[in-house]
Amino acid sequence: MANTATLKVQKWGNSLAVRIPSSLARKAGFEAGQAVEISTQDSGLLVTPKGGRHLTLGQRLALFDPDQHGGEAMVVTPIGKEIL
């Protein structure tokens, strides 16, 4: 995958925009809808991801610790007239 790309700044409403190629976005860890912080630098702009990444269900399940939760993903305690 490429580490750089030459892109064109384009008008988007009253603002300017640059589309980030998917290969660069994946490498930087960017996702659609993710918050970013943009700051000016001597050499241009720096775009930094903000907040945590959105994890897929598979990634969340991989982080699950059964010891911490008594071996169950969800502890079920009857609170009404449920028949278990």
Side-chain angles (χ1 to χ4, degrees):
M1 280 189 233
N3 288 326
T4 62
T6 301
L7 307 169
K8 186 176 182 179
V9 177
Q10 297 181 335
K11 187 104 170 130
W12 187 3
N14 290 329
S15 302
L16 298 177
V18 175
R19 289 186 185 202
I20 302 171
S22 60
S23 61
L24 289 177
R26 275 193 303 274
K27 198 163 194 168
F30 290 153
E31 297 175 350
Q34 180 180 11
V36 295
E37 178 179 276
I38 300 176
S39 58
T40 57
Q41 304 288 311
D42 291 337
S43 61
L45 295 175
L46 175 64
V47 181
T48 309
K50 295 298 286 185
R53 294 182 64 177
H54 295 284
L55 300 177
T56 65
L57 177 59
Q59 291 168 327
R60 287 176 186 223
L61 290 173
L63 294 173
F64 176 72
D65 181 5
D67 294 333
Q68 182 181 359
H69 300 284
E72 295 290 329
M74 183 174 86
V75 177
V76 178
T77 305
I79 58 172
K81 296 182 180 181
E82 296 93 346
I83 297 174
L84 298 176

